[in-house]
Amino acid sequence: MMTRIWPIALGVVTDSLRRKVVYVVLVFAALLAFAIPSLPDYGLGVEAAVFREVALALSFVTALVVTLSLAANRIPSELERRTIYNVVAKSVSRWEYLVGTWLGIFIVAGGAMAAFTVIEQAVGLITYGEPMWRLWQGALAIWLEMGVVAAFAVAISAVSGPVVVVTATLTALFIGHSRSTLLGGEGALALQPFMPSLDAFNVVNPVAHGTGVPPLYLLSMVVVFVGLSGISLLVGGLLLARRDL
């Protein structure tokens, strides 16, 4: 199975590296990272914490732009150019093509997050004299969330165009982070075992202002990532299988 999925993923990675959008987003994000220390501070003695908080927000936006730019248009463009026929004609199942596409996007998003976190660390070290290793915990959380976002976007793209994919994904992202507000604190707590929300990936406070994220919580993020991504890819595989190519 992986012998069929992995080449598709590598093809997505190779094609993504040829696109200018990834590099343009990273360059602008790096410029903004260098500009963070010039922002107004919240108070004396918390400058490094403010930097980490803004850096995480910037990382999230960067990762979201990269992920959506790759996930929203990949399968629709392959269908339009009919290149997908060459793939599915080689004993590759449609769901394997879908998973391979998602895996390639997930790898690219991880590479972008790693590059951007290194830049943020360099800026933090130069400006505040701290290596800020906890930023990697935030990067991991954002990367896993982008994996869920990419899985949802790829699933929707199996039956819809880029505009619908972006709109639906941003709506799902908003709802995923608003569950506690929509249901109320007690309701959200009661449904937490059955409806894990995207808030599981929100580690801004422990990374920016605390002592970091405990290992058990990191494990819970992986569980939520596997569950939500798996459900989205399962639905996407079914949608693509039913599509008349």
Side-chain angles (χ1 to χ4, degrees):
M1 179 176 66
M2 284 306 297
T3 57
R4 295 187 294 273
I5 292 177
W6 188 244
I8 297 172
L10 289 180
V12 173
V13 173
T14 303
D15 182 64
S16 300
L17 295 178
R18 294 196 191 102
R19 297 188 182 190
K20 295 180 181 179
V21 61
V22 175
Y23 303 105
V24 171
V25 170
L26 284 176
V27 168
F28 276 100
L31 292 175
L32 290 174
F34 279 99
I36 292 176
S38 64
L39 295 174
D41 296 326
Y42 294 163
L44 185 63
V46 295
E47 291 89 349
V50 172
F51 173 82
R52 286 192 291 270
E53 184 173 345
V54 177
L56 288 176
L58 192 55
S59 296
F60 180 84
V61 173
T62 302
L64 182 60
V65 172
V66 170
T67 301
L68 281 182
S69 65
L70 297 177
N73 195 44
R74 179 71 191 183
I75 291 181
S77 64
E78 292 285 296
L79 289 169
E80 183 178 352
R81 291 181 299 181
R82 298 182 178 273
T83 51
I84 188 174
Y85 296 98
N86 297 329
V87 179
V88 296
K90 297 177 181 177
S91 302
V92 176
S93 302
R94 295 186 184 186
W95 73 267
E96 291 174 332
Y97 174 78
L98 190 89
V99 172
T101 301
W102 167 81
L103 181 59
I105 295 170
F106 186 54
I107 293 172
V108 174
M113 283 304 306
F116 193 52
T117 302
V118 169
I119 294 172
E120 290 176 333
Q121 271 196 291
V123 176
L125 183 62
I126 294 171
T127 307
Y128 303 105
E130 296 182 23
M132 298 189 178
W133 295 108
R134 292 202 301 273
L135 286 175
W136 284 99
Q137 294 180 336
L140 174 63
I142 294 171
W143 184 40
L144 293 178
E145 181 169 357
M146 289 307 111
V148 176
V149 169
F152 183 86
V154 167
I156 298 298
S157 72
V159 291
S160 300
V163 175
V164 174
V165 172
V166 172
T167 304
T169 304
L170 291 178
T171 301
L173 190 64
F174 175 79
I175 294 174
H177 278 288
S178 305
R179 188 199 64 179
S180 58
T181 303
L182 296 173
L183 299 178
E186 294 183 358
L189 183 63
L191 292 174
Q192 187 172 1
F194 310 100
M195 294 179 59
S197 78
L198 296 178
D199 279 339
F201 303 109
N202 185 358
V203 295
V204 173
N205 283 333
V207 170
H209 305 284
T211 58
V213 184
L216 186 59
Y217 190 88
L218 292 175
L219 179 61
S220 71
M221 287 196 305
V222 175
V223 173
V224 174
F225 157 74
V226 172
L228 294 181
S229 298
I231 292 172
S232 293
L233 293 175
L234 177 62
V235 173
L238 293 174
L239 292 175
L240 189 59
R242 294 174 59 87
R243 180 162 181 166
D244 185 19
L245 298 179

